[in-house]
Amino acid sequence: MPIRKDFLAITCAAVLALGAAPTARACAFHGYTPDPTLVDLLLATEEVVIARLSQAGAQFDPVETLAGPEVTQIALRPSAQTRLAAQRSPGLRVLLARDGSYGPWQEITVLEGSMGAVMRSVLSRQATWQSGDPQARVAFFARHLNAPEPALRRLALREMDRADYATLRKSSLPQVTGLRRDLGQEDDALRPIRILLAGLSGDRSFVPFLTEALAKGVAARKPYLGAYATALIELDGTKGVETIAARYLSDPDLAFDLREKLVQALALQYHVAPGGVRRDISRTVARLSRQDSGFAQSAARQFGSLKRFNAAPSTGGGANR
């Protein structure tokens, strides 16, 4: 059977559908479901090989089998992009994989710089990571967030993106070089995780940026504005909670989708933030729920229950939107 590229998407979509705040993933802040990472594909396959292009560039010749039975022939024509890369770099190595002995081979990645060593390390951890060890997986790729190779840095970011927020928060993350610059790039696929990493950096100089970006995100109805709210609370604590409540959630006319994303950020931080921030979130949710039945319904969806806040939502107030 072919490698299933949809399995992670299904998992992530299920998390969002359940509204499980404690295990909410970074993907919740995209507004769409991210594709599986290169590592997810490797962990789901049975045969992996390093190959190079033949002298004519028309086929792959196996160099080293990393997983599964020894491979002697590969029925896969190199892509135009790979052929072009091989012309620039003679002897280029490419990682290929397939699921089972009869599945089609797929190009996974070009192995430049230390990417080959990283892929070998990933495969050596296949059994452990398949059984579920998210902390170790995040720790492994956190070490590569500042790798010299752009492809490896991007892979490390995507690995951070697939982790749940609580795991990220417990991990030892480095200061990401050029993060402020990268946040200005038009790269929506990685923007949410970069925003969260800014919040987790401990660098309070990001607070003005996050505050302004959140305002712009609300005005433009950005799908990942929840990431801005989460990061702002992470860095600015109770002040961040108060900013979000006063400027946005106190407005009974706030659009439904915007309110849901902001309340989701509050719920996420409620489960992981320090005690003082959690208490402030609790008081804020209780107060706004009493004032606005629309907010109370959003809070009930994202927090699961309002009983813990002793909130008695009124039947009046803003309408559910």
Side-chain angles (χ1 to χ4, degrees), residues 32 154 180-192 194 222 224 228:
Y32 62 89
R154 191 173 184 87
R180 194 179 301 273
R181 176 201 65 221
D182 292 342
L183 281 166
Q185 293 181 0
E186 294 299 321
D187 188 351
D188 282 355
L190 292 177
R191 189 182 300 276
R194 284 174 167 145
K222 293 290 187 181
Y224 44 76
Y228 285 122

Side-chain angles (χ1 to χ4, degrees), residues 32-109:
Y32 62 89
T33 303
D35 291 331
T37 70
L38 180 159
V39 175
D40 289 311
L41 296 180
L42 285 183
L43 296 182
T45 193
E46 298 175 11
E47 294 191 27
V48 184
V49 65
I50 294 175
R52 64 187 171 198
L53 274 68
S54 64
Q55 192 168 11
Q59 66 183 38
F60 283 110
D61 293 332
V63 174
E64 180 184 356
T65 299
L66 299 183
E70 190 70 21
V71 174
T72 57
Q73 291 184 323
I74 301 171
L76 175 66
R77 181 175 174 79
S79 66
Q81 184 178 8
T82 298
R83 292 198 302 273
L84 183 61
Q87 290 174 10
R88 294 194 301 263
S89 303
L92 184 77
R93 299 297 195 262
V94 183
L95 191 72
L96 309 176
R98 67 175 175 175
D99 204 13
S101 300
Y102 300 100
W105 285 102
Q106 297 187 32
E107 293 185 19
I108 301 300
T109 188

Side-chain angles (χ1 to χ4, degrees), residues 257-321:
D257 60 317
L258 302 181
R259 185 176 62 207
E260 288 287 302
K261 290 180 174 68
L262 295 176
V263 176
Q264 182 187 48
L266 289 180
L268 183 59
Q269 285 288 14
Y270 178 80
H271 288 279
V272 300
V277 177
R278 294 186 66 207
R279 286 190 293 274
D280 194 59
I281 292 173
S282 178
R283 288 191 293 266
T284 298
V285 169
R287 174 174 58 81
L288 292 175
S289 294
R290 289 191 293 268
Q291 295 172 355
D292 182 356
S293 61
F295 177 90
Q297 292 177 49
S298 288
R301 279 188 293 272
Q302 298 299 335
F303 285 85
S305 171
L306 292 179
K307 293 180 180 179
R308 73 189 78 181
F309 306 121
N310 294 318
S314 64
T315 56
N320 182 28
R321 293 170 175 79

Side-chain angles (χ1 to χ4, degrees), residues 37 114-115 118 135 137-163 167-169 171-182 190 192-198 200-201:
T37 70
S114 58
M115 184 68 86
V118 170
Q135 196 79 51
R137 184 166 166 177
V138 167
F140 177 86
F141 281 101
R143 298 195 296 270
H144 298 289
L145 283 169
N146 292 316
E149 302 94 334
L152 185 49
R153 288 200 306 273
R154 191 173 184 87
L155 175 60
L157 283 167
R158 293 198 64 210
E159 283 292 308
M160 299 300 106
D161 192 35
R162 69 174 299 284
T167 297
L168 284 178
R169 202 170 184 279
S171 300
S172 178
L173 303 174
Q175 295 293 319
V176 180
T177 303
L179 181 58
R180 194 179 301 273
R181 176 201 65 221
D182 292 342
L190 292 177
I193 187 57
R194 284 174 167 145
I195 294 166
L196 295 181
L197 289 174
L200 292 165
S201 70

